[in-house]
Every structure is written in C-alpha cells, then in structure tokens.
Amino acid sequence: MAAGSTAINFSTPCALFPCQPLSLGFSRSSFHRHQAAKNQNALEPHMSQETLSYHWGKHHRGYVENLNKQITGTELDGMLLEDIIFLTYNRGDILPPFNNAAQIWNHEFFWESMKPDGGGKPTGDLLELIKRDFGSIDTFMEEFRAAASTQFGSGWAWLAYKANRLDVGNAVNPSPADEDKKLVVVKSPNAVNPLVWDYYPLLVIDVWEHAYILDFEARRADYISIFMEKLVSWEAVGSRLEMAKAQAAERESEERRRQEEEEKNAGDAEAVEMYLDSNSDEPEAD
Amino acid sequence: MALSLCNLVSRNSLAPLPIGRLLLSTRGLQTFSLPDLPYDYGALEPTISGEIMMLHHQKHHQTYVTNYNKALEQLDDAMNRGDPSTVVKLQSALKFNGGGHINHSIFWKNLAPVNEGGGEPPRGSLGWAIDTDFGSLESLKQKMNAEGAALQGSGWVWLGVDKELKRLVVETTANQDPLVTKGPSLVPLIGLDVWEHAYYLQYKNVKPDYLNNIWKVINWKYASNVYEKESA
C-alpha cells in the first residue's frame, strides 16, 4: 500500500460474482475489489437482494465512510486496516475508530465466506483438522451453530486457527508442534474479532440482527441453518487455513532464528561477574 | 423428593437444621408470562408499524420470557442440588433474558397511541424536573437521541431518576442490561429500545429517524406517575 495513501476503498464483495478469493491473508495490502458487482441477488433465495442492498450498500458502506472521516489527517491514515484494528482495540480499552475499522474487516470477511450455491462439506486438510479438533463434522457444526445462537445481542461467530504462542515479550513455546495449533469456535460481541486475540479467522457468520431480520425476522436459528447449508464457501475457508498454517510456520522459524541469534550474542559477550550479597550465607532467622 | 419437602417446611431462622441444605424456603418457583399490550398492535402507526409491534411482542419479548423461565427452573434445580458452578454459569442467561423481560415490560407502558396521550409532553413535577436538569424537553430528547444514535450494537437509552440523589439521569445500557446495572438507586422512567429489531423492518438502517419519531408515541403520563412515586 502506498505510503500516505488515502481513504479506504469501499470494495465490492467477492460473493456477488464468480471469482477467486484475492489475498485473504493478514498481510493483504489491499481490500480493494476492482470488479463491479453484477447484481445483489447472487445469493438469492437464501440471502435476499433486499438484505444485500442494506447490509452491503448501507451498513458496510457506512462503516467505510465513517472510518475515512475519522482517520483522515491522523496517524491512522494510510495504515493497513489490520494495523488500525490492533491499535484502536487498545487491549480492550477501545478507541473510537475501532468499531468502524473492525466492522469493515468483519463484513469483507463475511462476504468472502459465502458464495452462490454454497454449503456442502469441508474437504482435504480442513476436514482432517475439523475431525481432529472437534471429533466430527457434526460436532463442529453443532458448536458453530451454538456459538452463533448464543451470542447475546450483536456480534459474530467464528471458526479460527489458534496457534499456541506465549504472549510474553521474550518467551517462545519451547517445542512448538502441530498439535498445539488448533481449530476453535469462538463468538465475539459487536465489532470485536479474533484478530485482537491473535487468532487467524477462517470463517464467520454475522449475527447482528440486520444480517437476517429482513429475511428471517426473529428466527436466527433458521438463518444460521441456511448459512451452513446453502451459503458457506468451504473453498474460502480451506484456502484461509493454508495461509494460517503458512503464517504460523513462518512465525515459528522467525522465533527460532531470533532465539539462535540471542544465544549466539550471549556466547560472544564477556562473562558477567556476579556479586553475592555478603549476608546471604547467614541464616534468615534472628 | 427434596422439592416436595421444601414446600412443606418453612424456615424462619438462619440456624442450621438437621436436614442440612435440603431445606429451602416455602416459596414455589415463580415463573413469568408475557404481559398484554394495553393497545392494539397497529395503534402506534405510523410511528411504529403494527408488524414490528407484533413481532417485538409475540416473538422477541415472548422468547425472553420463555428463556427466563427456563433459566429460573435450572437455577432452582442447581440451588437445590448445591451445584454452585451451574448457578454461576446461569447468571448470564438470567441477566439477558430476565433483563429482556424487565425492559420490554417497561417499554410497552412507555408507549401510547396518540389518541390516548402518546406524545403529550410531561406536566407537573416531572416536567419541572426535566427543565431543571436538562434545560428543556427538547434538550432532553436531543440528548437521548444522540446517545441512542451513538450506541454501538444492541442496547437501550434510558431516562431515569436517581432516587438517592433526587435527580434525573440519561444512561445507556448494553444488550438487555436493566438500568439498575448502572446504579442501584436508578429507577427507569422511559426506555428507548435501540436493538435493531425495534425499528429495522420499518426504518431500516436509519436509526436516527426512528429516534426522532418515537417521541410522538411516548407515554409521559406513565413516566410522571413513576417519578412522583419515587419522589414522594
């Protein structure tokens, strides 16, 4: 992304026309989709054109416009969206641009999680990991549905890849193994997303009421079912999983490299003299 | 079983009894039911559509009542069994569904058709208190509308009275948290539901339009009655 670049573009979602998911990873430098949406009824009858026209055309667009207003001329201007999200999450003490920034990211991710004639079952590596970490596809689906149904109020339900990394300044998992990295189902309120917990999101369903109220009224459970059976794009989830694994591997090798370098530097340095406290040999009791 | 024993025995002192923790109060479990609306679903048109009123009452509020009762039964059972972790686990379901029932029960009374006083400004002591604490009724409405518009996600905007400090307050709560979660001495007078289900089918994403319009059907008589009772 060019330094000092301008406003975040309002992109058209991938699901509205046949396409390859583009640069879905964290390091994606552009959330532009330069293709024009052919029509907003691509997900009919499972998600109506009317819903898309408001959800994408008003809500999502509104978040983009509002974030641009908030960040123009500030230090956030020109930053990657993910970096804005990290910064403004502020370890939970949320700053105003967070809601808009995170909601932009969440909605992009949501559109890319669906496709016309979606549904079916996951395959390949994704299927294997689901079976390993949940026991079976059915158990995973149950847990995902439950998370989506029990997110009180507004929010999102996620499938994410959680690499087991210690979040302490200089500590590393001494023996990172593939088993440490797991698929997890999580739910989040309002605009929060798993990026702030350093998870790698793989799939999301929007359970804000505006996502389903026009098509399903109060019947969130029916909406969740239709999403799983007719809309979800397992291809998108699968390719995100590959990127998640690649990122985890890259982080591990970076940490190993850094650890090796530190050890090397420690060996090169002069031995440090240690001084014992002169009272240390005395018994503690008086 | 333990429950039927409970119904037979009354316990007035806190001294431990030989049967230990199987004995509880004689009160049977009280469950709740959906209150009727004091007006027809269509009576608030065109401000709030009949479609929204019906879904809001029959689906949303009813679901809170049903799930609150379920949580209460599970709580009763867990307490009888002496199962603290289930008791604690149920707290969020109780707060959410119980709060939903409390808040919506107030909300239906906060609204009235125009021909039954909906929209008529408050008189008497509440009217004076509003002028004193906010400058004017218009000023209060603007403040509540601004809070409602700014609220992210789901929640409520409240006009309440602090019965200790004898002062009106405007507060917001998230999700279905009742006003009392913002202060134990706060009593709700008017609650504006800003969950999307309260307006979306009619106003779509334009929440500010809903907030501007809802004042036309606000029942200030009810708010005044509550205020006078708390100020007595």
Side-chain angles (χ1 to χ4, degrees):
Chain A
M1 198 170 191
S5 76
T6 54
I8 288 166
N9 265 14
F10 177 52
S11 65
T12 57
C14 202
L16 299 186
F17 50 90
C19 72
Q20 304 289 12
L22 301 174
S23 52
L24 295 171
F26 278 9
S27 56
R28 122 183 107 183
S29 58
S30 161
F31 19 84
H32 310 322
R33 297 279 180 270
H34 302 291
Q35 305 92 330
K38 281 193 188 144
N39 49 47
Q40 291 173 356
N41 59 14
L43 300 179
E44 291 261 14
H46 313 299
M47 186 174 283
S48 68
Q49 171 173 359
E50 196 191 10
T51 290
L52 260 296
S53 73
Y54 285 103
H55 201 176
W56 174 72
K58 306 278 184 191
H59 291 272
H60 186 170
R61 187 193 299 270
Y63 291 124
V64 175
E65 287 171 356
N66 289 336
L67 182 65
N68 284 335
K69 271 186 234 162
Q70 279 176 316
I71 67 174
T72 303
T74 74
E75 60 177 2
L76 300 176
D77 199 351
M79 282 175 68
L80 293 180
L81 185 60
E82 285 89 350
D83 293 339
I84 297 177
I85 291 170
F86 279 129
L87 218 72
T88 55
Y89 182 68
N90 198 25
R91 295 169 193 263
D93 190 12
I94 291 173
L95 302 172
F98 175 80
N99 284 310
N100 290 314
Q103 285 292 76
I104 294 170
W105 197 98
N106 297 341
H107 282 89
E108 285 246 350
F109 198 76
F110 179 53
W111 305 131
E112 292 164 7
S113 296
M114 295 186 286
K115 63 171 197 174
D117 295 322
K121 297 269 188 278
T123 58
D125 274 357
L126 177 60
L127 177 60
E128 287 318 303
L129 275 190
I130 286 178
K131 284 202 236 176
R132 184 195 75 179
D133 292 335
F134 294 96
S136 68
I137 293 191
D138 285 343
T139 315
F140 154 67
M141 301 273 205
E142 249 327 291
E143 216 176 292
F144 189 78
R145 279 174 206 262
S149 316
T150 59
Q151 174 49 43
F152 289 156
S154 315
W156 307 77
W158 308 81
L159 172 66
Y161 187 72
K162 178 184 173 188
N164 185 19
R165 299 169 68 245
L166 298 175
D167 189 17
V168 198
N170 60 353
V172 295
N173 185 341
S175 46
D178 265 353
E179 289 70 39
D180 292 341
K181 306 185 206 82
K182 298 172 68 68
L183 294 181
V184 292
V185 164
V186 290
K187 55 190 179 185
S188 61
N190 299 341
V192 178
N193 63 36
L195 294 178
V196 307
W197 307 318
D198 203 26
Y199 296 2
Y200 197 110
L202 302 177
L203 170 65
V204 76
I205 181 172
D206 187 349
V207 291
W208 280 65
E209 287 179 319
H210 63 240
Y212 58 92
I213 198 169
L214 294 178
D215 295 341
F216 296 92
E217 291 168 351
R219 304 183 321 270
R220 193 194 281 194
D222 287 352
Y223 159 66
I224 297 168
S225 293
I226 292 290
F227 176 84
M228 299 303 281
E229 289 160 24
K230 308 283 187 190
L231 288 171
V232 65
S233 164
W234 291 115
E235 290 81 7
V237 182
S239 64
R240 288 163 181 164
L241 176 62
E242 293 314 305
M243 287 187 275
K245 292 198 285 190
Q247 185 197 58
E250 201 186 301
R251 282 180 173 183
E252 266 163 28
S253 56
E254 255 179 59
E255 278 167 11
R256 260 198 304 275
R257 259 198 308 273
R258 201 181 51 213
Q259 201 178 22
E260 280 164 18
E261 220 175 283
E262 275 176 21
E263 281 166 13
K264 183 170 167 299
N265 290 342
D268 288 347
E270 288 177 26
V272 175
E273 288 188 46
M274 289 179 55
Y275 295 90
L276 292 173
D277 184 329
S278 58
N279 290 334
S280 65
D281 285 337
E282 289 178 9
E284 284 181 10
D286 265 40
Chain B
M1 248 210 38
L3 287 177
S4 51
L5 276 178
C6 297
N7 289 333
L8 294 176
V9 180
S10 143
R11 195 172 143 206
N12 290 321
S13 84
L14 292 174
L17 294 174
I19 309 179
R21 59 171 62 163
L22 289 184
L23 285 179
L24 296 166
S25 107
T26 47
R27 277 179 310 158
L29 178 65
Q30 174 167 16
T31 54
F32 296 85
S33 57
L34 184 68
D36 286 332
L37 292 194
Y39 38 78
D40 289 339
Y41 289 132
L44 304 180
E45 300 249 9
T47 303
I48 304 181
S49 72
E51 185 191 19
I52 286 187
M53 290 306 292
M54 186 185 74
L55 286 168
H56 204 171
H57 182 243
Q58 283 185 7
K59 302 287 179 200
H60 291 276
H61 190 172
Q62 178 65 70
T63 302
Y64 290 125
V65 169
T66 304
N67 289 340
Y68 184 46
N69 288 336
K70 223 185 294 181
L72 285 173
E73 277 162 22
Q74 290 170 335
L75 177 69
D76 194 48
D77 175 65
M79 284 166 59
N80 289 338
R81 284 184 291 107
D83 177 3
S85 71
T86 301
V87 168
V88 171
K89 204 169 60 162
L90 285 167
Q91 296 311 305
S92 70
L94 286 165
K95 183 176 175 188
F96 184 68
N97 293 296
H101 174 51
I102 292 168
N103 295 339
H104 286 88
S105 301
I106 296 170
F107 188 55
W108 308 135
K109 294 190 251 197
N110 282 158
L111 304 171
V114 168
N115 61 13
E116 287 173 35
E120 264 174 40
R123 316 248 181 260
S125 58
L126 178 57
W128 299 329
I130 288 174
D131 287 345
T132 305
D133 290 339
F134 297 99
S136 66
L137 181 60
E138 259 327 292
S139 196
L140 168 64
K141 288 181 188 177
Q142 271 171 33
K143 184 172 169 72
M144 289 181 75
N145 288 350
E147 297 277 349
L151 196 149
Q152 300 277 345
S154 309
W156 293 75
V157 191
W158 300 96
L159 172 67
V161 58
D162 186 326
K163 58 186 179 187
E164 302 287 314
L165 301 180
K166 307 260 188 263
R167 186 182 64 182
L168 294 175
V169 299
V170 166
E171 273 290 353
T172 59
T173 57
N175 298 332
Q176 292 300 348
D177 295 357
L179 179 60
V180 74
T181 58
K182 281 288 173 95
S185 55
L186 297 181
V187 177
L189 301 174
I190 301 276
L192 303 181
D193 188 347
V194 290
W195 280 66
E196 286 172 330
H197 65 239
Y199 63 87
Y200 202 90
L201 289 176
Q202 182 178 356
Y203 292 91
K204 303 296 190 306
N205 62 305
V206 195
K207 186 168 42 163
D209 279 0
Y210 160 70
L211 290 168
N212 282 331
N213 278 304
I214 196 173
W215 297 104
K216 298 177 189 163
V217 290
I218 289 292
N219 179 10
W220 285 106
K221 277 188 280 198
Y222 168 79
S224 289
N225 288 341
V226 177
Y227 179 75
E228 276 155 29
K229 200 160 62 100
E230 294 300 332
S231 320

